[in-house]
Amino acid sequence: MINRDVGASTTFVFDDGTLYNITEPPLGDGALCGSVDITSGDKLILEYFGDLTDPTDVTGYDLQNRHLKHLRGIKYSFWVESCPTAGSSPCPNEFYLNIYARKSATSTSPWYDCRFDFVPTEGGQVGTWTTFDLYDIKNLAASNVNPNGSSTCHGATTIQEYIDAVTTNDITDEAVLGNMAFYPLALNIGDSAAPDAGVSGCYDALHIKLSDEEATRVYDFE
């Protein structure tokens, strides 16, 4: 799902190089593109809920409340169209991933208990593709770890540390991904703040690997 939050959504397009100057997308002939518009406080957010558990029921997705331990790896590619905040410098940090975790499927937190941000630090040159490969994501140190409200992340710097801490401190069910009302993970272009005005680019070739599934989920944005 893209830009579900209408209060912070921006114009997006599945482009083949007609509107954006993308060349040789990693998969297929196009990509999902968007920009930051601080005048309206908008940004591109690609929310991922998982696949429908039942094609006839659009309210149920298979990553919501999925045990966090099954998340093995995430990889995606991004194209930087413009990066006015950094001038001629690269800006990979504008194309980042959020992982939303809950201490249990019965947590009273309305969205998440702990958010893990993974921010690229390499690549991101204007007019190029960069692939951000988060293999073994549970054991990678997140760029930022933030609790929601009165919740706690137990001082964790990795998803695995959070899983272990939840088991030790909360004595609850196993930690899970986002709940049934909100997305478990999100890809972003910039932030809806003045320093990010005019940042634009594209996403393609999203790969998600779960330990309890043999095949990697691959998404080609056309």
Side-chain angles (χ1 to χ4, degrees), residues 173-215:
D173 296 333
E174 295 182 73
V176 297
L177 285 162
N179 70 6
M180 298 306 290
F182 296 95
Y183 43 89
L185 62 88
L187 292 173
N188 305 264
I189 294 182
D191 201 356
S192 52
D196 289 347
V199 173
S200 64
C202 309
Y203 280 113
D204 195 23
L206 172 62
H207 294 69
I208 298 175
K209 179 61 180 174
L210 303 170
S211 62
D212 57 344
E213 294 181 358
E214 183 176 351

Side-chain angles (χ1 to χ4, degrees), residues 103-176:
K103 64 182 181 180
S104 74
T106 57
S107 170
T108 57
S109 176
W111 183 356
Y112 65 94
D113 290 302
C114 190
R115 188 189 77 221
F116 296 84
D117 303 332
F118 294 91
V119 183
T121 58
E122 298 179 353
Q125 295 283 351
V126 172
T128 64
W129 286 101
T130 297
T131 297
F132 191 34
D133 192 350
L134 295 162
Y135 178 77
D136 193 23
I137 191 171
K138 292 198 305 294
N139 293 304
L140 296 177
S143 305
N144 302 292
V145 181
N146 296 289
N148 182 31
S150 60
S151 299
T152 177
C153 295
H154 299 291
T157 60
T158 70
I159 291 174
Q160 187 60 58
E161 288 177 1
Y162 179 71
I163 293 172
D164 295 340
V166 164
T167 302
T168 301
N169 294 282
D170 293 315
I171 315 178
T172 64
D173 296 333
E174 295 182 73
V176 297

Side-chain angles (χ1 to χ4, degrees), residues 36-38 41-43 94 96 188-197 199:
V36 176
D37 181 355
I38 61 143
D42 292 342
K43 56 176 282 189
E94 303 289 3
Y96 57 94
N188 305 264
I189 294 182
D191 201 356
S192 52
D196 289 347
V199 173

Side-chain angles (χ1 to χ4, degrees), residues 32-52:
L32 169 65
C33 304
S35 61
V36 176
D37 181 355
I38 61 143
T39 301
S40 56
D42 292 342
K43 56 176 282 189
L44 176 69
I45 308 173
L46 170 60
E47 306 169 353
Y48 181 76
F49 291 80
D51 294 335
L52 285 171

Side-chain angles (χ1 to χ4, degrees), residues 15-17 22-31 77 79 129 203-205 220-222:
D15 191 55
D16 60 0
I22 56 174
T23 58
E24 300 182 357
L27 286 178
D29 299 317
S77 296
W79 169 273
W129 286 101
Y203 280 113
D204 195 23
D220 174 17
F221 302 125
E222 296 289 337

Side-chain angles (χ1 to χ4, degrees), residues 61-76:
Y61 293 85
D62 66 358
L63 278 198
Q64 294 168 310
N65 284 328
R66 188 79 163 258
H67 283 158
L68 196 55
K69 68 180 181 182
H70 293 309
L71 186 60
R72 176 175 292 179
I74 294 177
K75 180 172 68 172
Y76 60 87

